[in-house]
Amino acid sequence: MKQFESDDNSASIISVTDKVRPLALGMPVIAVHFLGDRAAFIGAEENVALVDGAGEISTVVVHGGGILCVATDGARIVMGGDDGKLVALDKKGETALLATDPKRRWIDNVALHPDGAVAWSAGKTAFVRSGKAEEKSFEVPSTVGGLAFAPKGVRLAVAHYNGVTLWFPNMAANAEVLEWAGSHLGVVFSPDNKFLVTAMHEPALHGWRLADHRHMRMTGYPGRVRSMSWSAGGKALATSGADSVIMWPFASKDGPMGKEPAMFAPLQARVSMVACHPKQDILAVGYSDGTILMVRMTDGAEILVRKNGGAAVSALAWNPKGTLLAFAAEDGDGGLLEL
Amino acid sequence: MPELTSQKIPVTVLTGYLGAGKTTLLNRILSENHGKKYAVIVNEFGEIGIDNDLIIGADEEVFEMNNGCVCCTVRGDLVRILEGLMKRKGKFDAIIVETTGLADPAPVAQTFFVDEDVQKNARLDAVVTVADARWLSDRLKDAPEAKNQIAFADVIVLNKTDLVSKAELAEVEARIRAINPYAKLHRTERCQVALSDVLERGAFDLDRILEIEPEFLETGDGHDHHDHDHGHGHDHHHDHGHSHDTHSHGGLKHYHDEDMQSLSLRTSKPLDATKFMPWLQGLVAAEGAKILRSKGILSFSDDDDRYVFQGVHMMLEGDHQRKWKDGESRESRLVFIGRELPEQLIRDGFESCITT
């Protein structure tokens, strides 16, 4: 176990803490994404803080209440709120209202497709709107826990209690159901479209190989997995939920079946956020005690980005080029690191 | 900058059979001039007239946990809603969860035992059950849900007392006590109860388990108030509601409920912690489906602290509470409320944990 308790301790590790541009965001942050050359910090309520390279903060009001879900396709960020609204924010910092739930139900989940389609959910109903086609909806047996578009084709994974439904909004074909007992709260496709992984309410992941629906149980976490990130090329899936980063291997055709995960960067704190570098085998890791590390996947070498002592890290993202790392904690303390 | 760190938000669970007056009580809580803001989680969204800024419609999704235990259920919708509400910390002071008339309160309560994030941000304050004085006796006969709600309650608001005679009221109260002699009972018309009697009760707070004594019909306001004192220091240790058929006691009827009972155990000899803990854990593991609620104040040998525990079905939590005071009687006291409790098995097991 390693700890970064004091200055003398951090002498033993390479530190780039002095290169971080600190940001006082003034609000709890739930996510960060890059929009063009600005970092967009999504607040827990109402606002997004857009921060440029010079650290200038401009605030945009996006919701009239709590912000419950966020997705981005690089061109825009789409958010759902407890005001029943689905709102898009573009690179210019302009907002567009995409949908309003007629009953003002919470918009719990949102997903974006590279071709411009957007999916969202309220209660048990998932909705899809693509550029050309009209809006379609699909109901699952219990409240939607997570949404994800497949990387190829228009196929939407809808996670719910006791499994995931794969829905093809543009086809007459029946939806396909992947069953597994329990509540599935997050869902991701592997970038090669071969695997589907869910984060469950219990501290575990579950996966399916899509070709034959073979199950993959990924258990052993002390806490619920809230953050998942695919490494460059989709070779591995990095996850939060333990006191080190848990990385499941997905490079072979069997995925992680019968394999042990790699474990990196153990601290005496829970990993709260993971973000893999878009091009290199590096990932950024945020912890419940506020620490942020950069870790090289090949040998586990660590670089200190932020010392511990603050609130849990709640947002972490690289820009698409991989030259900027943005982060924020639950208490609104954030930063930008240029590499 | 808003206050970012705050205490756990208290959550009151409001149950009661259809038509008992839950919505009346809820509207009273919301409309009274108490300066507090509530987030209200209701079922039947939009169908009932509730005037509040923060109302969230819930679907009452009861999820089984993947641990092989069918009684280990949580309210999946509540996990999600509480997580969403925590983004709006500072906008409300407390949360009220209103369940449908047919709901079992256990999954709601268990959500607070099982889910790490819920536990971090919120605490279960009490289960408040509104009962209809006129119809409850009938519902206890034909609706298992109504019986569950009475058995589970920390506070019972016995409503519509103006619609029944004194004798009928005594009857329904005796039937309630046969199931749950430990809940605080308040007789009301149109749910006119002091809000301090239903909110901020700390019924699941280990620090507030002060005594475990059955409550009798002492809450009357103008009703026959009998004068036998069941406060501290009484010396007759009968277990009300259990192993008694209908009989007269101080002029009051006592019933034995066919399938839902309470069982109380006590000893003034110290318990052996190395025997008691495995026994209790084994008991709830084996019989937890039958045990709705459990609670205890314990005196262990070679331990100067009072140990307290409470449980819901198979889930237990316990802790050292405080030092036994000088002159305080170091008596261990346990109570189980449940369905078809295996009384002799529990009594024998408990006896075997007493130090000799």
Side-chain angles (χ1 to χ4, degrees):
Chain A
M1 283 287 170
K2 279 160 274 181
Q3 256 189 302
F4 304 107
E5 295 258 293
S6 58
D7 287 316
D8 25 50
N9 246 359
S10 50
S12 62
I13 183 172
I14 302 166
S15 170
V16 291
T17 52
D18 56 340
K19 297 198 172 68
V20 170
R21 181 190 292 280
L23 299 169
L25 297 162
M27 61 181 185
V29 173
I30 59 160
V32 60
H33 292 292
F34 281 88
L35 267 182
D37 41 17
R38 287 195 285 185
F41 292 88
I42 320 301
E45 299 181 89
E46 295 171 9
N47 299 322
V48 173
L50 292 165
V51 182
D52 67 15
E56 282 294 314
I57 301 176
S58 58
T59 301
V60 184
V61 179
V62 290
H63 279 284
I67 302 173
L68 301 172
C69 53
V70 187
T72 185
D73 56 9
R76 57 179 177 164
I77 293 172
V78 178
M79 294 151 283
D82 68 9
D83 55 359
K85 293 192 162 94
L86 186 72
V87 175
L89 178 68
D90 67 14
K91 288 182 180 176
K92 287 180 245 162
E94 284 167 9
T95 60
L97 179 63
L98 300 185
T100 304
D101 188 84
K103 291 187 215 153
R104 232 203 107 167
R105 290 179 301 175
W106 290 13
I107 309 296
D108 295 313
N109 297 283
V110 61
L112 289 170
H113 192 279
D115 76 0
V118 57
W120 68 97
S121 75
K124 296 173 186 172
T125 312
F127 302 86
V128 165
R129 190 190 292 160
S130 57
K132 36 199 179 292
E134 78 279 29
E135 191 175 305
K136 290 179 181 169
S137 69
F138 184 82
E139 187 147 317
V140 290
S142 62
T143 299
V144 176
L147 293 173
F149 277 109
K152 287 174 201 145
V154 181
R155 176 161 65 158
L156 185 71
V158 184
H160 46 79
Y161 183 51
N162 286 345
V164 178
T165 300
L166 295 173
W167 175 40
F168 305 84
N170 294 338
M171 285 163 68
N174 283 338
E176 210 177 310
V177 180
L178 304 171
E179 288 183 17
W180 187 257
S183 180
H184 300 263
L185 293 175
V187 58
V188 289
F189 282 90
S190 63
D192 62 6
N193 209 16
K194 286 185 179 147
F195 301 97
L196 185 80
V197 178
T198 61
M200 301 191 66
H201 175 238
E202 63 207 69
L205 300 182
H206 195 78
W208 290 265
R209 185 161 65 185
L210 292 169
D212 56 5
H213 293 192
R214 264 189 71 180
H215 292 284
M216 300 176 281
R217 298 179 66 180
M218 291 167 268
T219 57
Y221 291 90
R224 204 207 291 179
V225 179
R226 296 169 164 279
S227 178
M228 297 187 274
S229 175
W230 291 99
S231 69
K235 285 177 285 188
L237 180 66
T239 60
S240 71
D243 59 5
S244 57
V245 180
I246 308 293
M247 287 204 79
W248 298 95
F250 276 85
S252 79
K253 66 174 172 49
D254 287 339
M257 283 184 255
K259 299 192 187 79
E260 291 288 317
M263 291 159 83
F264 291 121
L267 287 189
Q268 285 178 342
R270 194 78 67 78
V271 173
S272 56
M273 292 301 299
V274 287
C276 292
H277 191 279
K279 292 177 176 162
Q280 298 172 37
D281 285 340
I282 294 171
L283 81 160
V285 189
Y287 294 82
S288 59
D289 66 353
T291 308
I292 296 173
L293 298 175
M294 274 193 293
V295 183
R296 193 159 59 202
M297 295 172 206
T298 47
D299 60 0
E302 297 162 6
I303 295 173
L304 184 66
V305 176
R306 185 178 190 252
K307 278 193 270 194
N308 66 355
V313 177
S314 57
L316 198 58
W318 297 92
N319 67 343
K321 284 187 220 156
T323 54
L324 281 169
L325 176 69
F327 65 83
E330 282 174 359
D331 61 1
D333 186 36
L336 277 174
L337 173 67
E338 194 168 351
L339 293 177
Chain B
M1 189 145 164
E3 181 68 42
L4 294 170
T5 52
S6 58
Q7 287 181 311
K8 292 186 182 186
I9 307 278
V11 181
T12 301
V13 178
L14 199 52
T15 75
Y17 208 69
L18 306 164
K22 285 194 301 284
T23 307
T24 309
L25 179 58
L26 187 54
N27 273 327
R28 277 216 48 228
I29 292 170
L30 298 175
S31 61
E32 202 141 299
N33 185 19
H34 40 53
K36 286 201 169 177
K37 287 199 189 101
Y38 292 91
V40 182
I41 302 171
V42 295
N43 203 263
E44 300 118 356
F45 182 55
E47 289 170 28
I48 40 176
I50 296 169
D51 185 23
N52 196 48
D53 288 339
L54 262 175
I55 300 181
I56 304 102
D59 259 331
E60 297 207 344
E61 294 181 323
V62 177
F63 292 171
E64 281 173 28
M65 300 298 289
N66 267 343
N67 57 7
C69 162
V70 287
C71 65
C72 191
T73 50
V74 299
R75 280 271 303 271
D77 58 311
L78 209 52
V79 171
R80 177 180 61 87
I81 289 167
L82 290 173
E83 189 174 332
L85 274 176
M86 288 312 150
K87 297 188 169 158
R88 311 211 67 195
K89 267 184 183 172
K91 299 286 193 292
F92 55 91
D93 307 291
I95 298 170
I96 299 169
V97 181
E98 188 200 31
T99 70
T100 57
L102 298 175
D104 175 3
V108 184
Q110 289 176 164
T111 303
F112 291 83
F113 282 74
V114 165
D115 191 273
E116 190 184 31
D117 299 290
V118 168
Q119 259 181 355
K120 197 170 79 186
N121 294 310
R123 63 173 174 84
L124 184 56
D125 186 65
V127 175
V128 177
T129 298
V130 185
D132 183 330
R134 190 157 178 196
W135 295 112
L136 183 71
S137 295
D138 287 351
R139 292 296 81 78
L140 291 177
K141 287 173 199 152
D142 64 15
E145 299 88 358
K147 201 176 271 185
N148 258 344
Q149 291 163 357
I150 295 294
F152 217 92
D154 298 294
V155 177
I156 295 168
V157 177
L158 185 57
N159 194 31
K160 307 191 186 183
T161 53
D162 49 329
L163 302 182
V164 294
S165 68
K166 278 186 181 181
E168 286 167 324
L169 187 62
E171 163 97 14
V172 70
E173 288 187 11
R175 290 200 182 275
I176 289 171
R177 288 313 186 192
I179 295 166
N180 184 344
Y182 298 92
K184 295 269 178 199
L185 191 149
H186 302 281
R187 298 164 179 158
T188 65
E189 296 168 18
R190 288 170 293 282
C191 288
Q192 292 291 330
V193 60
L195 295 190
S196 60
D197 286 334
V198 289
L199 300 172
E200 287 296 333
R201 303 299 307 166
F204 288 82
D205 181 353
L206 288 174
D207 285 336
R208 285 173 69 171
I209 300 178
L210 301 178
E211 58 182 48
I212 296 175
E213 297 294 344
E215 294 248 335
F216 290 90
L217 311 177
E218 76 289 75
T219 49
D221 38 350
H223 296 274
D224 2 15
H225 201 92
H226 57 102
D227 58 359
H228 82 239
D229 174 24
H230 277 269
H232 309 274
H234 59 125
D235 55 7
H236 45 296
H237 296 159
H238 50 211
D239 301 314
H240 279 271
H242 198 254
S243 68
H244 291 263
D245 288 310
T246 307
H247 72 277
S248 182
H249 180 81
L252 290 162
K253 273 191 199 165
H254 282 253
Y255 286 95
H256 170 68
D257 191 274
E258 286 303 316
D259 57 7
M260 195 78 85
Q261 310 95 20
S262 69
L263 171 58
S264 97
L265 305 163
R266 69 165 73 199
T267 179
S268 49
K269 293 179 193 155
L271 294 166
D272 181 343
T274 63
K275 289 181 182 165
F276 180 85
M277 291 302 194
W279 169 72
L280 180 66
Q281 279 155 10
L283 176 70
V284 299
E287 306 290 343
K290 294 175 186 164
I291 300 166
L292 272 66
R293 298 280 300 262
S294 59
K295 206 175 266 197
I297 298 171
L298 307 169
S299 166
F300 292 128
S301 50
D302 308 319
D303 191 342
D304 282 334
D305 283 349
R306 268 162 66 113
Y307 191 92
V308 291
F309 81 90
Q310 59 153 333
V312 171
H313 286 303
M314 295 175 94
M315 292 165 197
L316 288 174
E317 61 173 13
D319 205 352
H320 293 276
Q321 187 188 40
R322 61 165 170 81
K323 292 249 180 288
W324 288 101
K325 289 174 192 159
D326 289 341
E328 187 178 15
S329 157
R330 292 197 183 189
E331 188 182 59
S332 293
R333 189 83 207 259
L334 283 80
V335 61
F336 297 94
I337 296 177
R339 196 180 289 279
E340 292 161 359
L341 292 175
E343 179 178 354
Q344 205 51 49
L345 180 99
I346 296 175
R347 286 193 185 282
D348 291 348
F350 179 68
E351 287 293 324
S352 72
C353 302
I354 297 171
T355 53
T356 46

